[in-house]
Structure formats: C-alpha cells, structure tokens
Amino acid sequence: MIESLKHLSQAGPDNETLADRFTDLASPLTARQALIESERCLYCYDAPCTRICPSDIDVASFIRNIATDNINGAAKVILQQNILGGSCARVCPTEILCEQACVRNHDAEAQPVKIGLLQRHAIDHMDFDGHPFLRAAATGRTIAVVGAGPAGLSCAHRLAMLGNDVVIFESLSKPGGLNEYGIAKYKLIDNYAQREIDFLLEIGGISIRYGQMLGENLQLRDLHENYDAVFLGLGLGASRKLGLTGEDAPGLMAAVEYIAELRQASDLGKLPVATCCLVLGAGNTAIDMAVQMARLGCEDVTIVYRRDVESMSATGHEQEIAKANQVRLKTWAQPQRVLLDDAGRVCGMRFEKTRLDMGKLVATGETFELPADAIFRAIGQSLDADAISDPIACALQLEKDKIHVDAQFRTSLPGIYAGGDCVSPGQDLTVQAVQHGKLAAAAIHQDLKGKVRVA
C-alpha cells in the first residue's frame, strides 16, 4: 500500500470493469489489416520516416517484408537496430516522429502509414528458432552495466553480440526500468516488459544482479577497478519537489511512485484512489497519472500547468487520451501553497495565476484554490545525487544536472560511459535510451579492441 495515500478509499469499480479499463490502449492489427496497411507504404528512397527514427530502423524495409509475408524478416530488420522494438512500438510517440514524417500525410489520403502498429505486428508475430542473433567470438572482456532499464539492456545486448560478457547491476527486484515501473499500465500489458527482456537475454553472456544501488552497496570505484569498462544507465531516479511547506503531508506524492505501485499491483481494486485529485505537470507522465487515476474511479481529475497548452511537453496524442478520459486541464497556474485539513492531510492547493511578460513567465498576484484529497507531482525527475557520490563518481563532469558525454557516450572519466535519461543529449524517450545504449556498446567494444588486457 502507498503510505502517503493509505487514508484514501480503495478503487471503486469491480475487478472486471478495472480489467477492461486497463486493457491495450491500441488494438493490434490483424494479419489482413497489417497486409493492407503495409501496401500503403511507398517505400521511399532515403525515407524520411527512417531518417527521423531515433534508433535508425529501416522503416521502409521492414514494412516491405510485411507486405511480402516475411514477418521474421521484418522483425529482424527492426531488432537489428532496436532490440526493444516491441515495447518501443507501444510507447514511442510515433505520431510526432516517423508517422509525422510519412509522405502519405501530404497526398490525397492525408493519413500516414501506421508505422507503430506495423512494427508491433512484426515483433508480436515473429517466430524464430532460437535467438535471431548469434554472439561473436569471445573477447575475454567483461563490462559492468549499471541499470537494467532500456539504455542498460540495449547496451548489454549489443556488447554480448560483439562477444563480450556483461554483468548488469540493478537496484530493484526486476529489470526493465521505466518499461516495468514507469509506463502507464494500459500501454504495456500482460507482463510484456519482462517477456521482452527474457527474449533479449537469450543472446547469452549477460547476468543481472539485483538489489545493487550505486552510491549505497555498489561503488563506481570498485566497478572501475574490477571490470574492463563501465556503462551507466542510471535513468533519473529523483523526483523534483515543489519546494512548498506541507509537501510531505499525507496525500501528496510523486506521480512516478504511484505509477510504479500500480504497475506492480496484482489487484487494482486494492489501490488507494482519490475522489478528487490534482496532477501537477505537463508531460506524458502527468497524462499517464491523470488518466490512470480516472480509470481507477477518481471522480474529478485535473491537470494543472503553469503555462499554456501549446507549451506542454505531452504530445497532442497524449492530450487527446486525457480528454477522452474526462481529465480536465487548468493552465496558467503555478502552485503556491499546499492546503491541509485538521488532521494534517492534503485537502487542496492554492495556485497563483501566471502570464507571459516580454516572453518571461510571471505571477499576476491573483490566486485561486482547488480542492483535492490527493495531489501528484509530475514536474520532472533529476539525477540521484547519491548515485554519483563516491570519490570517482564525484569527478564525473555534469551538464545541466546530467552526466556529460561525448559523441561516443564516453564520460569525462576514462573507461566509464553513460547513456539514456541520465545524460545531456537527446530526449527522455525509451527509443532514445535504446539508441544510446547501442551506440555506447559499439564505442566500448571499439575502445577495448585497442587496449591491452591486464589479467
């Protein structure tokens, strides 16, 4: 049970209703639908959909394979570039990436090819005899990977393909990172994240050690000394706070903490659910939190954001999901004070209206209050300072509160690499993290080839 919300009632709808509300967000294509959709592709030369794909998937090639009923061929094209292609097909914002770049947007149909659903179809229906990739000859090298999220898993798989051994150190009891703990339950259902990881590990040469927290029972100094190289796929483990009095009162918590509990819950009906809640933020996590609370039975859900709708980082597609679930949106309002009842529990929040003045956000001095028996922070996350607190880790160069890396994902410390959400370049996307891990693995392997191995 989530301690901060234990005073709230449990979910109202029955289990059957809850199961219906947390089924697949998008229905998969049938074989016939996939064939028809694949034949809409024009197989463009220098296809814009491929050029914009963060993981460099040859989109036209995998779709052509589907059109010729070569599902394994399509899947291998995808997996060669993105070993987590199944989850990315479900959570990647294709509507602002490959599908927005599709040339079909500009013809008479004005509808892009459904690239995300086609990618999912290929991965869901592949049928290989064993793992589709073989390991290269053993290099005798062993690399430490910190974090079993998308970046760490992608890095580990590519290193293993290249003939290296990999040990992944994971702080939690399951691998997967945000795919396991941070994505809305209706986006990745039926334990998909773990099934995908089981497939990934079939390459061999990868072991995972759980309960290993960098900065606590795991030190970067030791990894640096005992392994040929280290890759940091730390993610962003610390939720940003509002800096307001009463922020630690019962009823106010980080959205990612509730989402993690929801994703691990075996019985959604036993989760604490607000009657009236506020979600503070403007990104996809804020949408995920608000929509899931609505589906659990919360009667009144409002997202509050300090700027306008156009400034929200949540995609238009995500905003439409929120509207379809009767989530309200209140803009131009920034938190000013947490309101508490006589028992010291959250009962609402006071906001101050905002506006733009010469391009700068300013407060107007006008305030208003919104009632709530639960408030969820979804205002972003930052690098956990404890994870980089030992003498070696402290020497890592940071850039805007993230780890600085060069174009090959090398940090400022020789032999230590990093990628995913914890580094400065790119967007905080699963598909971007996969690409970072893949490219970092190539750099690690290449750097080690020219280095004399010390026994």
Side-chain angles (χ1 to χ4, degrees), residues 1 3 27 46 63 94 102 128 166 169 177 216 231 248 265 295 297-298 309 421 433:
M1 184 65 71
E3 197 66 22
S27 298
D46 193 23
I63 294 178
T94 55
C102 179
F128 293 102
V166 183
F169 296 86
E216 293 186 8
F231 175 79
D248 296 322
R295 292 188 177 197
C298 184
V309 172
D421 293 351

Side-chain angles (χ1 to χ4, degrees), residues 26-203:
S27 298
L29 299 175
T30 65
R32 178 167 174 76
Q33 287 172 331
L35 177 61
I36 293 171
E37 191 63 26
S38 66
E39 290 175 343
R40 294 185 60 236
C41 181
L42 300 178
Y43 314 121
C44 306
Y45 174 76
D46 193 23
C49 52
T50 294
R51 282 189 276 113
I52 202 170
C53 175
S55 59
D56 297 329
I57 293 173
D58 188 338
V59 177
S61 178
F62 93 72
I63 294 178
R64 185 184 290 275
N65 274 284
I66 294 175
T68 58
D69 199 29
N70 183 6
I71 298 300
N72 278 2
K76 194 161 185 178
V77 169
I78 296 163
L79 296 170
Q80 281 173 338
Q81 298 297 338
N82 186 339
I83 194 60
L84 298 179
S87 58
C88 286
R90 290 161 164 81
V91 306
C92 182
T94 55
E95 68 277 0
I96 62 170
L97 293 171
C98 53
E99 291 177 12
Q100 188 176 68
C102 179
V103 297
R104 281 290 194 183
N105 286 301
H106 310 295
D107 64 14
E109 292 185 11
Q111 289 291 329
V113 175
K114 297 174 181 175
I115 299 170
L117 286 174
L118 286 172
Q119 179 169 316
R120 173 179 170 174
H121 179 81
I123 300 299
D124 286 357
H125 293 87
M126 64 185 182
D127 186 19
F128 293 102
D129 293 328
H131 198 70
F133 304 106
L134 298 177
R135 296 190 69 191
T139 64
R141 307 282 189 174
T142 304
I143 293 92
V145 171
V146 183
L153 290 167
S154 173
C155 183
H157 185 272
R158 187 51 58 106
L159 284 168
M161 276 182 63
L162 294 169
N164 304 284
D165 290 325
V166 183
V167 180
I168 301 178
F169 296 86
E170 169 57 40
S171 62
L172 300 174
S173 60
K174 286 183 180 180
L178 284 179
N179 279 3
E180 177 60 37
Y181 294 98
I183 297 293
K185 195 174 182 74
Y186 51 77
K187 293 180 180 177
L188 284 176
I189 67 168
D190 296 334
N191 204 33
Y192 187 84
Q194 295 307 308
R195 291 190 285 116
E196 185 175 48
I197 293 167
D198 290 343
F199 164 76
L200 179 151
L201 294 175
E202 288 176 7
I203 187 70

Side-chain angles (χ1 to χ4, degrees), residues 209-270:
R209 300 180 187 176
Y210 299 102
Q212 302 293 301
M213 176 72 78
L214 193 65
E216 293 186 8
N217 59 350
L218 182 68
Q219 301 300 321
L220 186 57
R221 175 191 62 246
D222 298 331
L223 297 178
H224 194 236
E225 291 175 356
N226 297 324
Y227 291 87
D228 292 294
V230 180
F231 175 79
L232 302 176
L234 303 176
L236 299 174
S239 295
R240 293 196 178 100
K241 292 204 167 187
L242 300 166
L244 300 177
T245 301
E247 189 164 356
D248 296 322
L252 201 160
M253 67 180 298
V256 291
E257 293 178 13
Y258 190 96
I259 292 172
E261 184 105 1
L262 190 158
R263 283 198 56 84
Q264 300 305 306
S266 57
D267 186 349
L268 296 179
K270 292 184 178 179

Side-chain angles (χ1 to χ4, degrees), residues 267-337:
D267 186 349
L268 296 179
K270 292 184 178 179
L271 289 170
V273 178
T275 301
C276 177
C277 81
L278 303 175
V279 180
L280 310 178
N284 290 344
T285 298
I287 301 288
D288 284 355
M289 183 67 239
V291 170
Q292 289 182 114
M293 187 55 66
R295 292 188 177 197
L296 285 170
C298 184
E299 299 172 4
D300 190 339
V301 184
T302 303
I303 293 176
V304 186
Y305 179 46
R306 60 199 175 109
R307 295 182 182 271
D308 59 0
V309 172
E310 289 71 24
S311 301
M312 292 180 69
S313 58
T315 67
H317 174 67
E318 293 291 327
Q319 292 179 41
E320 288 302 315
I321 294 173
K323 292 176 184 176
N325 285 270
Q326 289 75 55
V327 173
R328 293 190 296 174
L329 177 62
K330 182 71 176 175
T331 56
W332 299 113
Q334 64 183 14
Q336 187 191 69
R337 181 180 176 184

Side-chain angles (χ1 to χ4, degrees), residues 395-417:
L396 287 170
Q397 182 182 344
L398 301 183
E399 181 180 342
K400 296 180 180 179
D401 297 325
K402 293 188 177 185
I403 299 171
H404 172 76
V405 292
D406 66 12
Q408 282 71 47
F409 298 92
R410 304 182 187 98
T411 71
S412 56
L413 300 178
I416 298 177
Y417 304 73

